[in-house]
């Protein structure tokens, strides 16, 4: 019973986000002459205000200590964001021939987000506000609610599943689920929402950059392997430093 209640409660942040979208969309039914993506910017801004107060109220009830992140840690998180984006692009290139219809639908969604021809409001919406809102909803609120009743690995899978489903189409849902697992793990490691937002920002930033300036397959492989290699090296070096100190 307690776990069922926790699952229902964990859906409330997403319900709140969808409710804000519905209300703002109703307002824009009467104002049709607005810049593209302005409605999305307003939706995310309102969601940030409501979700931010909610998140702060949850934090006050906990004794969780945030991990202090070193400059090397911030660089590592940026590299992780880059690796996620390049891995995704590489995988999409590989499966494009297998699922042509799904890839066509996916391309239309990405184009509708302004990834190929960004404007001021599409950049604010996709690159700046989306990482804040999505991390606040899923890794800030949803994961925190689920962790009260479930072990981390279960809570992480559930929030990543919600994150995948909310993206709609099968292509986005698949890689959003995997990215959600990684973002949840970052949150678990650092106990700091800023870290996940920072990592997510680089995913979206590079996604927009690749939309405007596509790279050949060989370069995509290099840009996937190099960040992962650097991350692995940083982890090994960090572990060696700790053993030397002890």
């Amino acid at each position: 019973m307690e776990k069922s209640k926790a699952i229902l409660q964990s859906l409330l942040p997403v319900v709140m986000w969808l409710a804000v979208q519905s209300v703002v969309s109703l307002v824009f039914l009467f104002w049709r002459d607005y810049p593209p993506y302005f409605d999305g910017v307003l939706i995310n801004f309102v969601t940030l205000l409501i979700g931010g107060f909610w998140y702060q109220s949850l934090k006050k009830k906990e004794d969780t200590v945030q991990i202090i992140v070193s400059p090397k840690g911030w660089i590592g998180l940026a590299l992780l964001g880059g690796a996620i984006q390049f891995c995704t692009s590489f995988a999409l290139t590989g499966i494009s021939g297998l699922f042509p219809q799904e890839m066509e639908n996916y391309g239309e969604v990405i184009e509708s987000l302004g990834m190929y021809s960004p404007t001021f409001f599409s950049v604010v919406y996709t690159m700046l506000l989306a990482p804040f809102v999505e991390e606040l909803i899923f890794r800030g609120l949803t994961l925190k609610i689920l962790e009260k009743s479930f072990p981390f690995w279960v809570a992480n899978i559930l929030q990543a599943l919600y994150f995948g489903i909310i993206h709609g189409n099968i292509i986005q849902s698949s890689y959003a689920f995997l990215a959600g697992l990684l973002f949840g793990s970052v949150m678990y490691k650092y106990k700091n929402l800023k870290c996940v937002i920072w990592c997510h920002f680089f995913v979206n930033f590079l996604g927009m950059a690749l939309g405007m300036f596509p790279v050949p397959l060989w370069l995509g492989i290099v840009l996937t392997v190099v960040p992962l290699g650097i991350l692995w090296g940083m982890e090994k070096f960090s572990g060696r430093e700790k053993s030397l100190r002890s």
Side-chain angles (χ1 to χ4, degrees):
M1 188 66 182
E2 182 186 339
K3 294 188 185 303
S4 300
K5 184 180 176 183
I7 289 175
L8 289 174
Q9 288 177 338
S10 71
L11 293 170
L12 291 177
V14 178
V15 171
M16 178 270 291
W17 191 17
L18 294 176
V20 170
Q21 290 181 31
S22 300
V23 171
V24 173
S25 297
L26 282 174
V27 172
F28 279 97
L29 285 176
F30 303 97
W31 180 28
R32 298 179 181 276
D33 200 18
Y34 59 88
Y37 308 102
F38 181 71
D39 54 340
V41 169
L42 186 58
I43 287 166
N44 279 353
F45 183 74
V46 174
T47 304
L48 268 180
L49 287 177
I50 299 171
F53 283 115
W54 189 352
Y55 180 68
Q56 289 302 321
S57 70
L58 288 179
K59 278 183 67 178
K60 286 178 182 177
K61 298 174 184 176
E62 296 183 344
D63 296 325
T64 305
V65 178
Q66 291 185 350
I67 306 297
I68 297 174
V69 187
S70 66
K72 187 169 66 175
W74 290 111
I75 294 170
L77 288 167
L79 289 171
L80 177 61
I84 291 171
Q85 181 53 249
F86 285 119
C87 280
T88 302
S89 300
F90 180 56
L92 290 178
T93 302
I95 67 169
S96 58
L98 300 175
F99 306 100
Q101 185 58 54
E102 287 78 4
M103 286 301 297
E104 185 179 338
N105 296 337
Y106 168 75
E108 290 173 0
V109 171
I110 295 301
E111 188 173 2
S112 73
L113 292 173
M115 288 293 205
Y116 300 143
S117 52
T119 63
F120 173 76
F121 284 113
S122 73
V123 169
V124 172
Y125 172 68
T126 305
M127 198 170 74
L128 300 179
L129 286 177
F132 278 90
V133 171
E134 292 178 2
E135 294 312 318
L136 175 63
I137 295 293
F138 295 100
R139 265 62 68 178
L141 294 170
T142 302
L143 184 59
K144 195 174 284 291
I145 292 168
L146 286 167
E147 280 189 288
K148 292 179 181 179
S149 302
F150 294 96
F152 167 73
W153 69 270
V154 177
N156 198 34
I157 289 172
L158 286 172
Q159 65 81 20
L161 184 63
Y162 301 167
F163 186 56
I165 292 171
I166 204 72
H167 279 78
N169 65 79
I170 186 66
I171 301 293
Q172 271 189 300
S173 294
S174 300
Y175 70 68
F177 170 72
L178 296 174
L181 289 175
L182 288 171
F183 291 146
S185 300
V186 170
M187 184 65 185
Y188 181 73
K189 178 178 180 178
Y190 291 101
K191 315 295 183 190
N192 190 334
L193 195 60
K194 294 174 187 174
C195 294
V196 203
I197 293 170
W198 175 252
C199 183
H200 194 154
F201 165 79
F202 276 92
V203 175
N204 287 20
F205 169 73
L206 287 169
M208 188 165 282
L210 289 174
M212 292 187 293
F213 309 105
V215 298
L217 181 59
W218 68 268
L219 183 56
I221 295 172
V222 171
L223 293 174
T224 301
V225 172
V226 169
L228 289 173
I230 294 173
L231 274 173
W232 179 81
M234 288 171 69
E235 284 295 320
K236 292 289 285 183
F237 181 74
S238 178
R240 188 181 172 190
E241 270 191 329
K242 286 177 184 174
S243 29
L244 284 172
R245 285 174 187 169
S246 58

